[in-house]
mmCIF file of all heavy atoms in Angstrom:
data_model
loop_
_atom_site.group_PDB
_atom_site.id
_atom_site.type_symbol
_atom_site.label_atom_id
_atom_site.label_comp_id
_atom_site.label_asym_id
_atom_site.label_seq_id
_atom_site.Cartn_x
_atom_site.Cartn_y
_atom_site.Cartn_z
ATOM 1 N N ASP A 412 11.210 4.692 8.468
ATOM 2 C CA ASP A 412 11.897 4.947 9.734
ATOM 3 C C ASP A 412 13.192 5.718 9.479
ATOM 4 O O ASP A 412 13.491 6.702 10.162
ATOM 5 C CB ASP A 412 12.246 3.631 10.449
ATOM 6 C CG ASP A 412 11.060 2.956 11.105
ATOM 7 O OD1 ASP A 412 9.985 3.580 11.232
ATOM 8 O OD2 ASP A 412 11.221 1.780 11.500
ATOM 9 N N HIS A 413 13.960 5.261 8.486
ATOM 10 C CA HIS A 413 15.254 5.859 8.147
ATOM 11 C C HIS A 413 15.121 7.342 7.790
ATOM 12 O O HIS A 413 15.998 8.138 8.136
ATOM 13 C CB HIS A 413 15.881 5.078 6.990
ATOM 14 C CG HIS A 413 17.119 5.671 6.433
ATOM 15 N ND1 HIS A 413 18.339 5.596 7.077
ATOM 16 C CD2 HIS A 413 17.340 6.364 5.284
ATOM 17 C CE1 HIS A 413 19.250 6.228 6.349
ATOM 18 N NE2 HIS A 413 18.671 6.686 5.251
ATOM 19 N N ILE A 414 14.050 7.712 7.111
ATOM 20 C CA ILE A 414 13.896 9.116 6.703
ATOM 21 C C ILE A 414 13.185 9.954 7.766
ATOM 22 O O ILE A 414 12.890 11.129 7.538
ATOM 23 C CB ILE A 414 13.189 9.252 5.330
ATOM 24 C CG1 ILE A 414 11.741 8.759 5.372
ATOM 25 C CG2 ILE A 414 14.018 8.545 4.246
ATOM 26 C CD1 ILE A 414 10.942 9.092 4.107
ATOM 27 N N GLY A 415 12.915 9.362 8.925
ATOM 28 C CA GLY A 415 12.357 10.123 10.038
ATOM 29 C C GLY A 415 10.844 10.233 10.061
ATOM 30 O O GLY A 415 10.296 11.100 10.739
ATOM 31 N N HIS A 416 10.168 9.361 9.340
ATOM 32 C CA HIS A 416 8.701 9.359 9.312
ATOM 33 C C HIS A 416 8.211 7.931 9.574
ATOM 34 O O HIS A 416 7.722 7.249 8.663
ATOM 35 C CB HIS A 416 8.183 9.877 7.963
ATOM 36 C CG HIS A 416 8.537 11.301 7.708
ATOM 37 N ND1 HIS A 416 7.769 12.357 8.140
ATOM 38 C CD2 HIS A 416 9.608 11.857 7.088
ATOM 39 C CE1 HIS A 416 8.336 13.498 7.784
ATOM 40 N NE2 HIS A 416 9.454 13.211 7.145
ATOM 41 N N PRO A 417 8.343 7.469 10.823
ATOM 42 C CA PRO A 417 7.992 6.081 11.148
ATOM 43 C C PRO A 417 6.549 5.739 10.795
ATOM 44 O O PRO A 417 5.635 6.554 10.978
ATOM 45 C CB PRO A 417 8.217 5.987 12.657
ATOM 46 C CG PRO A 417 9.107 7.139 12.997
ATOM 47 C CD PRO A 417 8.803 8.208 11.994
ATOM 48 N N PHE A 418 6.377 4.526 10.288
ATOM 49 C CA PHE A 418 5.043 4.049 9.907
ATOM 50 C C PHE A 418 4.072 4.126 11.079
ATOM 51 O O PHE A 418 2.904 4.442 10.894
ATOM 52 C CB PHE A 418 5.140 2.608 9.392
ATOM 53 C CG PHE A 418 4.983 2.483 7.910
ATOM 54 C CD1 PHE A 418 5.366 3.475 7.037
ATOM 55 C CD2 PHE A 418 4.452 1.322 7.380
ATOM 56 C CE1 PHE A 418 5.224 3.324 5.665
ATOM 57 C CE2 PHE A 418 4.302 1.151 6.010
ATOM 58 C CZ PHE A 418 4.690 2.169 5.158
ATOM 59 N N GLU A 419 4.534 3.798 12.283
ATOM 60 C CA GLU A 419 3.610 3.805 13.414
ATOM 61 C C GLU A 419 3.055 5.199 13.695
ATOM 62 O O GLU A 419 1.951 5.331 14.219
ATOM 63 C CB GLU A 419 4.238 3.195 14.676
ATOM 64 C CG GLU A 419 5.432 3.941 15.218
ATOM 65 C CD GLU A 419 6.770 3.466 14.667
ATOM 66 O OE1 GLU A 419 6.806 2.809 13.600
ATOM 67 O OE2 GLU A 419 7.794 3.774 15.307
ATOM 68 N N GLU A 420 3.786 6.237 13.325
ATOM 69 C CA GLU A 420 3.268 7.608 13.462
ATOM 70 C C GLU A 420 2.413 7.978 12.254
ATOM 71 O O GLU A 420 1.332 8.538 12.400
ATOM 72 C CB GLU A 420 4.428 8.590 13.622
ATOM 73 C CG GLU A 420 5.182 8.421 14.923
ATOM 74 C CD GLU A 420 6.413 9.302 15.015
ATOM 75 O OE1 GLU A 420 6.594 10.220 14.184
ATOM 76 O OE2 GLU A 420 7.220 9.049 15.944
ATOM 77 N N LEU A 421 2.895 7.655 11.070
ATOM 78 C CA LEU A 421 2.171 7.963 9.837
ATOM 79 C C LEU A 421 0.803 7.291 9.821
ATOM 80 O O LEU A 421 -0.184 7.864 9.365
ATOM 81 C CB LEU A 421 3.002 7.521 8.629
ATOM 82 C CG LEU A 421 2.441 7.789 7.246
ATOM 83 C CD1 LEU A 421 2.226 9.280 7.022
ATOM 84 C CD2 LEU A 421 3.371 7.226 6.197
ATOM 85 N N HIS A 422 0.734 6.072 10.345
ATOM 86 C CA HIS A 422 -0.506 5.296 10.284
ATOM 87 C C HIS A 422 -1.507 5.611 11.392
ATOM 88 O O HIS A 422 -2.533 4.949 11.506
ATOM 89 C CB HIS A 422 -0.181 3.799 10.249
ATOM 90 C CG HIS A 422 0.242 3.329 8.900
ATOM 91 N ND1 HIS A 422 1.506 3.498 8.423
ATOM 92 C CD2 HIS A 422 -0.448 2.725 7.913
ATOM 93 C CE1 HIS A 422 1.593 3.004 7.198
ATOM 94 N NE2 HIS A 422 0.414 2.526 6.860
ATOM 95 N N THR A 423 -1.244 6.644 12.184
ATOM 96 C CA THR A 423 -2.245 7.033 13.183
ATOM 97 C C THR A 423 -3.398 7.800 12.548
ATOM 98 O O THR A 423 -4.523 7.732 13.033
ATOM 99 C CB THR A 423 -1.629 7.884 14.311
ATOM 100 O OG1 THR A 423 -1.064 9.070 13.754
ATOM 101 C CG2 THR A 423 -0.590 7.095 15.096
ATOM 102 N N LYS A 424 -3.125 8.528 11.448
ATOM 103 C CA LYS A 424 -4.158 9.335 10.793
ATOM 104 C C LYS A 424 -4.305 9.029 9.311
ATOM 105 O O LYS A 424 -5.167 9.587 8.648
ATOM 106 C CB LYS A 424 -3.840 10.823 10.965
ATOM 107 C CG LYS A 424 -3.851 11.265 12.405
ATOM 108 C CD LYS A 424 -3.530 12.728 12.544
ATOM 109 C CE LYS A 424 -3.496 13.075 14.018
ATOM 110 N NZ LYS A 424 -2.943 14.375 14.274
ATOM 111 N N ALA A 425 -3.445 8.177 8.795
ATOM 112 C CA ALA A 425 -3.446 7.864 7.364
ATOM 113 C C ALA A 425 -2.871 6.459 7.200
ATOM 114 O O ALA A 425 -2.589 5.771 8.175
ATOM 115 C CB ALA A 425 -2.608 8.887 6.599
ATOM 116 N N ALA A 426 -2.691 6.056 5.949
ATOM 117 C CA ALA A 426 -2.079 4.768 5.638
ATOM 118 C C ALA A 426 -1.357 4.881 4.299
ATOM 119 O O ALA A 426 -1.555 5.853 3.564
ATOM 120 C CB ALA A 426 -3.135 3.665 5.583
ATOM 121 N N VAL A 427 -0.526 3.893 4.001
ATOM 122 C CA VAL A 427 0.237 3.891 2.759
ATOM 123 C C VAL A 427 0.157 2.485 2.147
ATOM 124 O O VAL A 427 1.121 1.734 2.160
ATOM 125 C CB VAL A 427 1.701 4.327 2.990
ATOM 126 C CG1 VAL A 427 2.432 4.469 1.664
ATOM 127 C CG2 VAL A 427 1.774 5.630 3.763
ATOM 128 N N PRO A 428 -1.014 2.131 1.612
ATOM 129 C CA PRO A 428 -1.132 0.805 0.998
ATOM 130 C C PRO A 428 -0.450 0.747 -0.368
ATOM 131 O O PRO A 428 -0.207 1.775 -1.008
ATOM 132 C CB PRO A 428 -2.641 0.617 0.855
ATOM 133 C CG PRO A 428 -3.171 2.002 0.734
ATOM 134 C CD PRO A 428 -2.281 2.860 1.593
ATOM 135 N N THR A 429 -0.173 -0.470 -0.790
ATOM 136 C CA THR A 429 0.374 -0.723 -2.120
ATOM 137 C C THR A 429 -0.791 -0.826 -3.092
ATOM 138 O O THR A 429 -1.677 -1.655 -2.913
ATOM 139 C CB THR A 429 1.195 -2.018 -2.131
ATOM 140 O OG1 THR A 429 2.249 -1.889 -1.170
ATOM 141 C CG2 THR A 429 1.773 -2.303 -3.502
ATOM 142 N N ALA A 430 -0.784 0.021 -4.121
ATOM 143 C CA ALA A 430 -1.863 0.023 -5.111
ATOM 144 C C ALA A 430 -1.528 -0.838 -6.324
ATOM 145 O O ALA A 430 -2.413 -1.327 -7.014
ATOM 146 C CB ALA A 430 -2.164 1.448 -5.565
ATOM 147 N N GLN A 431 -0.236 -1.016 -6.593
ATOM 148 C CA GLN A 431 0.215 -1.783 -7.759
ATOM 149 C C GLN A 431 1.587 -2.318 -7.434
ATOM 150 O O GLN A 431 2.386 -1.649 -6.787
ATOM 151 C CB GLN A 431 0.252 -0.869 -8.989
ATOM 152 C CG GLN A 431 0.798 -1.479 -10.253
ATOM 153 C CD GLN A 431 2.328 -1.430 -10.362
ATOM 154 O OE1 GLN A 431 2.987 -0.588 -9.775
ATOM 155 N NE2 GLN A 431 2.887 -2.358 -11.087
ATOM 156 N N ILE A 432 1.863 -3.550 -7.893
ATOM 157 C CA ILE A 432 3.199 -4.123 -7.710
ATOM 158 C C ILE A 432 3.482 -5.080 -8.861
ATOM 159 O O ILE A 432 2.580 -5.771 -9.345
ATOM 160 C CB ILE A 432 3.346 -4.832 -6.340
ATOM 161 C CG1 ILE A 432 4.810 -5.182 -6.071
ATOM 162 C CG2 ILE A 432 2.438 -6.033 -6.236
ATOM 163 C CD1 ILE A 432 5.095 -5.524 -4.614
ATOM 164 N N GLU A 433 4.711 -5.060 -9.318
ATOM 165 C CA GLU A 433 5.157 -5.962 -10.386
ATOM 166 C C GLU A 433 6.514 -6.507 -9.976
ATOM 167 O O GLU A 433 7.405 -5.749 -9.592
ATOM 168 C CB GLU A 433 5.270 -5.209 -11.707
ATOM 169 C CG GLU A 433 5.652 -6.094 -12.864
ATOM 170 C CD GLU A 433 5.645 -5.340 -14.185
ATOM 171 O OE1 GLU A 433 4.778 -4.475 -14.385
ATOM 172 O OE2 GLU A 433 6.534 -5.628 -15.004
ATOM 173 N N THR A 434 6.662 -7.828 -10.054
ATOM 174 C CA THR A 434 7.876 -8.472 -9.563
ATOM 175 C C THR A 434 8.379 -9.506 -10.562
ATOM 176 O O THR A 434 7.592 -10.214 -11.172
ATOM 177 C CB THR A 434 7.601 -9.165 -8.210
ATOM 178 O OG1 THR A 434 6.997 -8.223 -7.329
ATOM 179 C CG2 THR A 434 8.874 -9.691 -7.596
ATOM 180 N N THR A 435 9.692 -9.569 -10.686
ATOM 181 C CA THR A 435 10.342 -10.597 -11.481
ATOM 182 C C THR A 435 11.300 -11.344 -10.564
ATOM 183 O O THR A 435 12.148 -10.732 -9.909
ATOM 184 C CB THR A 435 11.121 -9.982 -12.662
ATOM 185 O OG1 THR A 435 10.213 -9.242 -13.470
ATOM 186 C CG2 THR A 435 11.790 -11.068 -13.499
ATOM 187 N N PHE A 436 11.137 -12.669 -10.507
ATOM 188 C CA PHE A 436 12.016 -13.515 -9.712
ATOM 189 C C PHE A 436 13.021 -14.141 -10.677
ATOM 190 O O PHE A 436 12.638 -14.825 -11.613
ATOM 191 C CB PHE A 436 11.204 -14.598 -8.996
ATOM 192 C CG PHE A 436 10.122 -14.028 -8.113
ATOM 193 C CD1 PHE A 436 8.796 -14.043 -8.521
ATOM 194 C CD2 PHE A 436 10.432 -13.463 -6.895
ATOM 195 C CE1 PHE A 436 7.796 -13.512 -7.714
ATOM 196 C CE2 PHE A 436 9.438 -12.934 -6.082
ATOM 197 C CZ PHE A 436 8.121 -12.964 -6.496
ATOM 198 N N THR A 437 14.303 -13.877 -10.445
ATOM 199 C CA THR A 437 15.318 -14.301 -11.403
ATOM 200 C C THR A 437 16.152 -15.494 -10.948
ATOM 201 O O THR A 437 16.755 -16.161 -11.786
ATOM 202 C CB THR A 437 16.258 -13.134 -11.744
ATOM 203 O OG1 THR A 437 16.797 -12.620 -10.521
ATOM 204 C CG2 THR A 437 15.509 -12.025 -12.464
ATOM 205 N N ALA A 438 16.216 -15.734 -9.649
ATOM 206 C CA ALA A 438 16.970 -16.874 -9.118
ATOM 207 C C ALA A 438 16.448 -17.183 -7.724
ATOM 208 O O ALA A 438 16.000 -16.273 -7.018
ATOM 209 C CB ALA A 438 18.463 -16.568 -9.067
ATOM 210 N N PRO A 439 16.500 -18.438 -7.318
ATOM 211 C CA PRO A 439 15.991 -18.779 -5.986
ATOM 212 C C PRO A 439 16.941 -18.331 -4.879
ATOM 213 O O PRO A 439 18.154 -18.227 -5.076
ATOM 214 C CB PRO A 439 15.893 -20.306 -6.030
ATOM 215 C CG PRO A 439 16.901 -20.727 -7.035
ATOM 216 C CD PRO A 439 16.944 -19.630 -8.060
ATOM 217 N N SER A 440 16.355 -18.064 -3.735
ATOM 218 C CA SER A 440 17.134 -17.796 -2.521
ATOM 219 C C SER A 440 16.904 -18.966 -1.571
ATOM 220 O O SER A 440 15.802 -19.516 -1.513
ATOM 221 C CB SER A 440 16.680 -16.494 -1.862
ATOM 222 O OG SER A 440 16.939 -15.401 -2.705
ATOM 223 N N HIS A 441 17.943 -19.317 -0.843
ATOM 224 C CA HIS A 441 17.912 -20.497 0.019
ATOM 225 C C HIS A 441 18.054 -20.118 1.492
ATOM 226 O O HIS A 441 18.618 -19.062 1.821
ATOM 227 C CB HIS A 441 19.042 -21.459 -0.371
ATOM 228 C CG HIS A 441 18.920 -21.954 -1.768
ATOM 229 N ND1 HIS A 441 19.441 -21.272 -2.850
ATOM 230 C CD2 HIS A 441 18.313 -23.049 -2.276
ATOM 231 C CE1 HIS A 441 19.168 -21.927 -3.966
ATOM 232 N NE2 HIS A 441 18.486 -23.025 -3.637
ATOM 233 N N HIS A 442 17.595 -21.016 2.330
ATOM 234 C CA HIS A 442 17.723 -20.851 3.773
ATOM 235 C C HIS A 442 19.179 -20.525 4.107
ATOM 236 O O HIS A 442 20.091 -21.217 3.669
ATOM 237 C CB HIS A 442 17.273 -22.143 4.455
ATOM 238 C CG HIS A 442 17.180 -22.047 5.934
ATOM 239 N ND1 HIS A 442 17.089 -23.147 6.735
ATOM 240 C CD2 HIS A 442 17.143 -20.993 6.778
ATOM 241 C CE1 HIS A 442 17.008 -22.780 7.998
ATOM 242 N NE2 HIS A 442 17.045 -21.470 8.046
ATOM 243 N N GLY A 443 19.375 -19.434 4.834
ATOM 244 C CA GLY A 443 20.714 -19.007 5.227
ATOM 245 C C GLY A 443 21.338 -17.948 4.345
ATOM 246 O O GLY A 443 22.304 -17.302 4.747
ATOM 247 N N ASP A 444 20.797 -17.746 3.131
ATOM 248 C CA ASP A 444 21.323 -16.683 2.270
ATOM 249 C C ASP A 444 21.147 -15.325 2.948
ATOM 250 O O ASP A 444 20.198 -15.108 3.698
ATOM 251 C CB ASP A 444 20.582 -16.638 0.920
ATOM 252 C CG ASP A 444 20.975 -17.753 -0.028
ATOM 253 O OD1 ASP A 444 21.934 -18.492 0.257
ATOM 254 O OD2 ASP A 444 20.299 -17.878 -1.072
ATOM 255 N N MET A 445 22.044 -14.410 2.659
ATOM 256 C CA MET A 445 21.934 -13.038 3.150
ATOM 257 C C MET A 445 21.546 -12.159 1.969
ATOM 258 O O MET A 445 22.331 -11.969 1.035
ATOM 259 C CB MET A 445 23.249 -12.565 3.759
ATOM 260 C CG MET A 445 23.147 -11.225 4.446
ATOM 261 S SD MET A 445 21.998 -11.155 5.839
ATOM 262 C CE MET A 445 22.839 -12.140 7.049
ATOM 263 N N LEU A 446 20.315 -11.662 1.995
ATOM 264 C CA LEU A 446 19.817 -10.815 0.907
ATOM 265 C C LEU A 446 20.148 -9.354 1.172
ATOM 266 O O LEU A 446 20.016 -8.870 2.305
ATOM 267 C CB LEU A 446 18.301 -10.955 0.775
ATOM 268 C CG LEU A 446 17.760 -12.295 0.324
ATOM 269 C CD1 LEU A 446 16.233 -12.307 0.419
ATOM 270 C CD2 LEU A 446 18.194 -12.593 -1.106
ATOM 271 N N ASP A 447 20.564 -8.672 0.142
ATOM 272 C CA ASP A 447 20.696 -7.219 0.163
ATOM 273 C C ASP A 447 19.495 -6.690 -0.609
ATOM 274 O O ASP A 447 19.352 -6.975 -1.810
ATOM 275 C CB ASP A 447 21.994 -6.775 -0.515
ATOM 276 C CG ASP A 447 23.213 -7.249 0.240
ATOM 277 O OD1 ASP A 447 23.317 -6.933 1.441
ATOM 278 O OD2 ASP A 447 24.056 -7.934 -0.357
ATOM 279 N N ILE A 448 18.639 -5.951 0.068
ATOM 280 C CA ILE A 448 17.432 -5.418 -0.561
ATOM 281 C C ILE A 448 17.577 -3.908 -0.651
ATOM 282 O O ILE A 448 17.700 -3.219 0.357
ATOM 283 C CB ILE A 448 16.162 -5.810 0.226
ATOM 284 C CG1 ILE A 448 16.080 -7.331 0.353
ATOM 285 C CG2 ILE A 448 14.925 -5.245 -0.456
ATOM 286 C CD1 ILE A 448 14.969 -7.826 1.270
ATOM 287 N N ARG A 449 17.607 -3.414 -1.881
ATOM 288 C CA ARG A 449 17.790 -1.986 -2.154
ATOM 289 C C ARG A 449 16.461 -1.404 -2.591
ATOM 290 O O ARG A 449 15.775 -1.980 -3.445
ATOM 291 C CB ARG A 449 18.840 -1.806 -3.251
ATOM 292 C CG ARG A 449 19.146 -0.376 -3.579
ATOM 293 C CD ARG A 449 20.198 -0.322 -4.687
ATOM 294 N NE ARG A 449 20.149 0.946 -5.349
ATOM 295 C CZ ARG A 449 19.380 1.249 -6.385
ATOM 296 N NH1 ARG A 449 18.588 0.341 -6.913
ATOM 297 N NH2 ARG A 449 19.391 2.442 -6.922
ATOM 298 N N LEU A 450 16.076 -0.290 -2.001
ATOM 299 C CA LEU A 450 14.845 0.408 -2.344
ATOM 300 C C LEU A 450 15.193 1.784 -2.875
ATOM 301 O O LEU A 450 15.998 2.498 -2.267
ATOM 302 C CB LEU A 450 13.956 0.541 -1.099
ATOM 303 C CG LEU A 450 12.628 1.269 -1.245
ATOM 304 C CD1 LEU A 450 11.620 0.721 -0.238
ATOM 305 C CD2 LEU A 450 12.756 2.765 -1.074
#
């Protein structure tokens, strides 16, 4: 959305599935925490 290519428009004729993902969880997050998620 931020870059001007909303998913709802992109997904009318195509899709962008996740083919591979790798994640490391380093500490727990608790109810009420405010997460900053950087992509």
